[in-house]
């Protein structure tokens, strides 16, 4: 079975003492983390090292950065390199979140470079894709997502692609309380997998974890995660409350 992943994306939330309290509480919860299940915590950059230390001995938990830069090093004030991340034991990174695309103007070509660099340094990119509302209303979401995949991922070799995690996050469902229905999620996830199969073969496509993101909470996680092509979730708001996120972890297949 491909990896089922519950990923928290805290975005720019929680101060350090709140983050510490969350970590203590989450570590006190009971989970059945087997070989095919894992948890990723994408915390704000200032807490990466602390969180990595806190979960060092906890099997199945990984820490992720929410972003990285597309250059190895140099005069890029305020940016974080993949080498900095791996040097403190962070081996996952979210790339192409819709907030990075929309607020910070990151385009498909820049994201392709970030994906390449992350893989070069042995990191696991969690590559986000997903359509805005007008695209969904026009019914052209498949073409929109297919283009995002093509433009930022299809330069990869099959071996590289097998290390990527994909997160489908329809923008109209992010932070809106308006979740895609489990049918809409399944439909898009199956489509993404079929695209990967066309590009890289069915066996590879069957091994790629595709997470759903957009208003996932404890009360809807089971239904969404039960869909055959949904391999867990990338969770924003509901990942800020330890008990709620713990329930989401327990909802993994
Ligand atoms: P919400 O769960 O708050 O809708 O955010 C989803 C998201 O953007 C996760 O990356």
């Amino acid at each position: 079975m491909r990896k089922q992943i519950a990923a928290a994306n805290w975005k720019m939330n929680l101060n350090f003492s709140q983050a510490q309290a969350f970590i203590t509480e989450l570590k006190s919860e009971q989970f059945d983390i087997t070989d095919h299940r894992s948890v990723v915590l994408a915390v704000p950059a200032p807490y990466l090292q602390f969180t990595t230390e806190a979960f060092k001995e906890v099997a199945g938990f990984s820490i992720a950065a929410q972003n990285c830069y597309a250059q190895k090093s140099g005069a890029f004030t305020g940016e974080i390199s993949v080498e900095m991340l791996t040097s403190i034991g962070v081996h996952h990174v979210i790339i192409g979140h819709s907030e990075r695309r929309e607020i910070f103007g990151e385009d498909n070509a820049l994201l392709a470079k970030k994906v390449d660099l992350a893989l070069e340094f042995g990191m696991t990119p969690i590559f986000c894709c997903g359509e805005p509302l007008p695209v969904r209303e026009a019914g052209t979401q498949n073409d929109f997502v297919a283009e995002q995949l093509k433009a930022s991922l299809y330069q990869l070799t099959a071996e590289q692609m097998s290390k990527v995690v994909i997160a489908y996050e329809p923008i109209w469902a992010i932070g809106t309380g308006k979740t895609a229905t489990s049918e809409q999620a399944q439909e898009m996830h199956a489509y993404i997998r079929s695209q990967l199969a066309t590009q890289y073969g069915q066996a590879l496509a069957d091994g790629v974890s595709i997470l759903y993101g957009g208003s996932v909470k404890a009360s809807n996680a089971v239904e969404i995660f039960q869909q055959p092509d949904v391999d867990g979730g990338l969770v924003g708001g509901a990942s800020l409350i330890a008990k709620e996120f713990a329930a989401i972890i327990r909802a993994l297949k």
Side-chain angles (χ1 to χ4, degrees), residues 20-98:
Q20 286 175 300
F22 176 103
I23 289 165
T24 304
E25 201 178 337
L26 190 66
K27 284 176 81 175
S28 72
E29 293 279 340
Q30 298 296 311
F31 307 106
D32 184 15
I33 301 294
T34 54
D35 274 355
H36 78 276
R37 293 195 196 112
S38 69
V39 180
V40 175
L41 301 175
V43 302
Y47 315 151
L48 282 169
Q49 200 160 8
F50 176 85
T51 316
T52 300
E53 281 299 314
F55 284 94
K56 213 156 80 183
E57 311 293 327
V58 186
F61 278 69
S62 303
I63 309 308
Q66 297 175 9
N67 186 28
C68 64
Y69 197 52
Q71 299 287 335
K72 284 187 183 170
S73 64
F76 303 104
T77 301
E79 292 296 330
I80 298 170
S81 75
V82 288
E83 190 182 357
M84 291 172 189
L85 295 172
T86 56
S87 71
I88 59 164
V90 174
H91 300 290
H92 289 68
V93 58
I94 297 176
I95 293 177
H97 191 280
S98 61

Side-chain angles (χ1 to χ4, degrees), residues 82-230:
V82 288
E83 190 182 357
M84 291 172 189
L85 295 172
T86 56
S87 71
I88 59 164
V90 174
H91 300 290
H92 289 68
V93 58
I94 297 176
I95 293 177
H97 191 280
S98 61
E99 287 147 19
R100 299 298 317 172
R101 294 174 186 264
E102 293 204 319
I103 304 169
F104 302 98
E106 298 192 359
D107 62 18
N108 289 336
L110 177 80
L111 300 175
K113 281 193 204 157
K114 291 189 180 193
V115 170
D116 288 347
L117 206 52
L119 287 165
E120 189 186 324
F121 280 77
M123 295 189 82
T124 300
I126 302 172
F127 179 77
C128 301
C129 57
E131 79 286 355
L133 186 60
V135 170
R136 170 63 64 165
E137 284 173 345
T140 53
Q141 64 273 11
N142 286 4
D143 291 346
F144 186 93
V145 169
E147 179 56 31
Q148 289 180 320
L149 301 176
K150 178 173 168 227
S152 301
L153 295 182
Y154 291 174
Q155 77 283 8
L156 302 177
T157 64
E159 202 207 327
Q160 289 174 315
M161 186 63 219
S162 68
K163 298 183 174 128
V164 175
V165 171
I166 293 179
Y168 169 60
E169 300 204 308
I171 297 172
W172 46 272
I174 295 178
T176 57
K178 193 172 155 188
T179 322
T181 64
S182 47
E183 291 77 24
Q184 284 172 321
Q186 167 57 24
E187 206 173 77
M188 178 58 85
H189 284 227
Y191 176 72
I192 291 171
R193 204 176 300 289
S194 75
Q195 292 295 106
L196 296 180
T198 304
Q199 190 67 22
Y200 292 102
Q202 192 65 49
L204 185 140
D206 284 341
V208 173
S209 301
I210 308 177
L211 317 185
Y212 168 79
S215 300
V216 172
K217 30 189 187 290
S219 59
N220 60 23
V222 172
E223 192 192 333
I224 296 171
F225 294 176
Q226 278 311 312
Q227 300 302 312
D229 286 290
V230 177

